[in-house]
């Protein structure tokens, strides 16, 4: 497995995350080529080396033109109010101009459209959308609305969109299977944003860390160390909170932040390998949630299943059962990761009539796997290659890949599968 440890002692942001993965080995040229397909203008990407408190780091910088500038890295704009009322007055016109720029009011559907028009792999597209959905949910809660009515401000800006898509590309390029994030360090005080001066952590960060059980550590640094984008990235990719007891470090990447604080302002990303005595690489831990429901319509149960899958459930199914008074009913079973438990339970409580959910942790054995390209008479397809404990290899075609070929070529599914040997 490819394992990643994100050490967020200086917080985390979108540009820091991209830079850290680039420094850890993600393909720079592939990233730039992919970003060039985005239907966005008003920016250019610069990837350079910088020193942060003497630490040599990668810097991923989305440079905006004057029409798209949002002052996200302008320390005087962000914190000038701390030096006196005069600074607040000086930035009123700047704030008004930034707020009125066209990029300040993108909705989730518009951002999804931008992602879909970019030449991304299926995994990268899913991850980018997942990060934005997490942000949409956090903003919707902050403004007491639903995600379809959220109009992003800072997060809808060009640089934030590029940061998130770039992170998804780099993450997919490194083929990461497991991500360890024990917690993230945050600052204190206040910061200026599109809505005015607000306390740190900002509402979106609070909502994300609360929903996904992300532990925050107070550094007593005056300023925002964790941006909403950074928090959403952690929520989207983290699989574990505790590092393995023994591991070796294969590669280390440093991603530089743009803001200047007392801390170095870098995100450290380590590609690690768990030692056999601390973690069986073929073992994993998964959680099962279950509840019995006898008074919900099939429409509600079907919609609940859709929401659970969209939120990251590994599996969802219903089992027919009989309850008290011989009532026909269903047992809803959800398989998910530990960090998704709260989200899954919230959906079940919101959508169904249940008042209680059972939970248990289960060990499972998973086979090492990788994705390979296989040529068939109908073109190239993605195949999942799994290795059994006895060394035997099995190949399973990825359904979505062959489905698209079947639809384009008007051929039966079995004809393509028959061209893939074990």
């Amino acid at each position: 497995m490819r394992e990643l440890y994100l050490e967020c002692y200086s917080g985390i942001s979108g540009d820091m995350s991209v830079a850290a993965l680039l420094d850890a080995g993600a393909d720079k040229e592939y990233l730039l080529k992919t970003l060039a397909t985005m239907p966005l203008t008003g920016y250019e990407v610069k990837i350079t080396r910088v020193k942060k408190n003497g630490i040599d780091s990668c810097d991923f910088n989305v440079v905006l033109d004057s029409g798209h500038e949002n002052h996200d890295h302008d320390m005087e704009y962000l914190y000038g109010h701390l030096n006196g009322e005069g600074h607040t007055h000086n930035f009123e016109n700047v704030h008004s101009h930034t707020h009125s720029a066209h990029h300040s009011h993108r909705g989730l559907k518009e951002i999804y459209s931008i992602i879909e028009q970019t030449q991304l792999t299926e995994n990268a597209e899913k991850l980018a959308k997942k990060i934005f959905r997490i942000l949409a949910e956090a903003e919707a809660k902050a403004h007491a609305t639903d995600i379809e009515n959220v109009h992003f401000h800072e997060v809808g800006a060009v640089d934030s969109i590029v940061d998130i898509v770039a992170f998804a590309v780099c993450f997919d390029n490194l083929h990461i299977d497991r991500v360890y994030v024990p917690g993230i360090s945050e600052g204190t005080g206040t910061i200026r944003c599109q809505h005015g001066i607000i306390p740190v952590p900002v509402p979106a960060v609070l909502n994300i860390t609360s929903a996904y059980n992300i532990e925050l550590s107070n550094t007593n640094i005056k300023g925002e160390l964790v941006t909403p984008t950074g928090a959403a990235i952690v929520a989207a990719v983290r699989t574990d909170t505790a590092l393995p007891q023994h591991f070796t470090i294969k590669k280390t990447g440093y991603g530089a932040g743009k803001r200047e604080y007392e801390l170095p302002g870098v995100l450290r990303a380590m590609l690690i390998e768990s030692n056999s005595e601390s973690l069986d690489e073929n073992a994993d831990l998964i959680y099962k949630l279950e509840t019995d429901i006898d008074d919900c319509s099939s429409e509600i149960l079907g919609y609940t299943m859709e929401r659970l899958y969209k939120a990251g459930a590994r599996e969802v199914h219903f089992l027919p059962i009989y309850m008290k008074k011989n009532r026909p009913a269903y047992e809803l079973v959800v398989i998910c990761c530990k960090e998704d438990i709260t989200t899954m339970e919230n959906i079940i409580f919101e959508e169904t009539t249940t008042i209680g959910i059972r939970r248990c942790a289960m060990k499972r054995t998973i086979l090492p796997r990788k994705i390979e390209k296989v040529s068939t008479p109908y073109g190239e397809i993605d195949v999942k290659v799994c290795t059994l404990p006895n060394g035997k290899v099995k190949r399973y075609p990825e359904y979505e890949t062959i489905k698209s070929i079947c639809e384009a070529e008007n051929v039966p599914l079995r004809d393509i599968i028959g061209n893939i040997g074990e």
Side-chain angles (χ1 to χ4, degrees):
M1 290 192 302
R2 297 295 298 274
E3 298 171 271
L4 174 68
Y5 167 32
L6 291 178
E7 190 178 62
C8 308
Y9 61 84
S10 292
I12 184 170
S13 64
D15 56 338
M16 292 168 73
S17 302
V18 178
L21 294 190
L22 284 169
D23 207 29
D27 190 326
K28 170 185 171 182
E29 298 306 319
Y30 172 69
L31 172 62
L32 293 175
K33 181 179 177 181
T34 302
L35 292 180
T37 68
M38 292 187 71
L40 283 177
T41 59
Y43 77 96
E44 64 173 317
V45 170
K46 292 184 179 180
I47 301 173
T48 58
R49 308 296 304 182
V50 298
K51 289 190 182 297
K52 301 288 289 186
N53 287 34
I55 300 174
D56 179 56
S57 309
C58 176
D59 181 50
F60 178 80
N61 192 10
V62 180
V63 182
L64 303 174
D65 62 23
S66 58
H68 295 79
E69 175 58 52
N70 60 7
H71 302 278
D72 186 56
H73 304 144
D74 185 338
M75 296 296 285
E76 186 66 11
Y77 170 76
L78 298 172
Y79 303 111
H81 61 279
L82 299 176
N83 300 323
E85 295 182 1
H87 290 287
T88 302
H89 176 76
N90 291 339
F91 283 111
E92 286 178 355
N93 292 332
V94 175
H95 175 252
S96 176
H97 168 74
T98 305
H99 187 73
S100 64
H102 72 276
H103 67 270
S104 297
H105 296 87
R106 283 191 173 92
L108 189 61
K109 288 184 179 179
E110 185 179 355
I111 292 174
Y112 274 11
S113 176
I114 291 171
I115 293 172
E116 290 164 359
Q117 293 177 65
T118 305
Q119 293 180 13
L120 299 172
T121 65
E122 182 181 350
N123 287 337
E125 179 179 324
K126 284 182 178 178
L127 178 55
K129 287 183 175 180
K130 181 179 181 181
I131 295 170
F132 266 111
R133 186 175 183 85
I134 290 170
L135 285 163
E137 290 170 349
E139 292 288 352
K141 182 176 181 181
H143 300 293
T145 185
D146 58 73
I147 62 173
E148 300 304 327
N149 291 324
V150 168
H151 288 84
F152 293 113
H153 298 293
E154 282 84 355
V155 178
V158 169
D159 54 343
S160 294
I161 297 174
V162 176
D163 283 346
I164 290 171
V165 171
F167 175 83
V169 170
C170 290
F171 188 86
D172 180 56
N173 180 247
L174 288 172
H175 305 292
I176 304 298
D177 299 302
R178 200 167 194 144
V179 181
Y180 302 94
V181 188
I184 49 181
S185 298
E186 177 60 298
T188 61
T190 57
I191 186 172
R192 186 191 311 277
C193 72
Q194 297 285 6
H195 302 291
I197 297 170
I198 57 177
V200 173
V202 299
V205 170
L206 282 178
N207 292 339
I208 292 169
T209 54
S210 174
Y212 291 88
N213 296 315
I214 300 171
E215 184 174 301
L216 287 173
S217 300
N218 188 347
T219 62
N220 293 318
I221 298 295
K222 297 295 183 182
E224 179 192 48
L225 302 183
V226 182
T227 67
T229 299
I233 284 172
V234 172
V237 303
R238 187 183 67 170
T239 60
D240 297 81
T241 57
L243 277 166
Q245 188 174 1
H246 304 283
F247 61 90
T248 54
I249 300 171
K250 298 301 181 181
K251 181 92 182 216
T252 301
Y254 291 90
K258 307 296 183 299
R259 301 175 186 175
E260 296 296 333
Y261 299 114
E262 298 169 44
L263 289 171
V266 294
L267 173 67
R268 186 154 62 179
M270 288 174 266
L271 295 178
I272 67 173
E273 184 176 295
S274 304
N275 291 347
S276 58
E277 63 267 25
S278 64
L279 177 68
D280 180 356
E281 66 178 14
N282 293 323
D284 200 357
L285 192 66
I286 203 75
Y287 286 79
K288 180 169 76 169
L289 312 178
E290 59 183 31
T291 185
D292 301 335
I293 305 170
D294 66 354
D295 54 353
C296 262
S297 70
S298 57
E299 291 90 348
I300 290 175
L301 295 179
Y303 181 66
T304 302
M305 175 183 278
E306 290 179 16
R307 281 198 63 189
L308 289 167
Y309 271 125
K310 285 182 179 179
R314 297 298 180 89
E315 294 292 346
V316 181
H317 58 261
F318 294 99
L319 301 174
I321 59 173
Y322 285 93
M323 294 178 64
K324 290 181 294 186
K325 302 180 181 178
N326 293 321
R327 293 176 180 173
Y330 288 99
E331 179 181 78
L332 168 59
V333 180
V334 179
I335 306 298
C336 66
C337 296
K338 182 178 180 180
E339 63 271 14
D340 293 329
I341 289 174
T342 300
T343 300
M344 299 296 139
E345 290 184 340
N346 285 341
I347 291 173
I348 295 171
F349 282 130
E350 287 174 0
E351 297 294 346
T352 74
T353 54
T354 190
I355 58 175
I357 300 170
R358 300 182 294 274
R359 178 198 309 174
C360 67
M362 303 181 296
K363 289 184 177 180
R364 63 176 181 170
T365 301
I366 56 175
L367 298 176
R369 81 288 303 269
K370 62 181 178 179
I371 299 295
E372 290 184 352
K373 297 285 186 181
V374 173
S375 295
T376 74
Y378 305 101
E380 252 190 6
I381 66 171
D382 291 333
V383 174
K384 184 181 295 180
V385 182
C386 300
T387 304
L388 277 62
N390 61 7
K392 185 178 180 180
V393 174
K394 287 194 172 183
R395 292 176 170 83
Y396 304 93
E398 289 292 317
Y399 173 75
E400 291 299 332
T401 304
I402 59 176
K403 176 186 172 184
S404 61
I405 294 178
C406 290
E407 293 173 345
E409 301 293 334
N410 194 27
V411 296
L413 189 71
R414 63 178 178 272
D415 287 1
I416 298 180
I417 295 176
N419 283 279
I420 305 168
E422 290 192 354

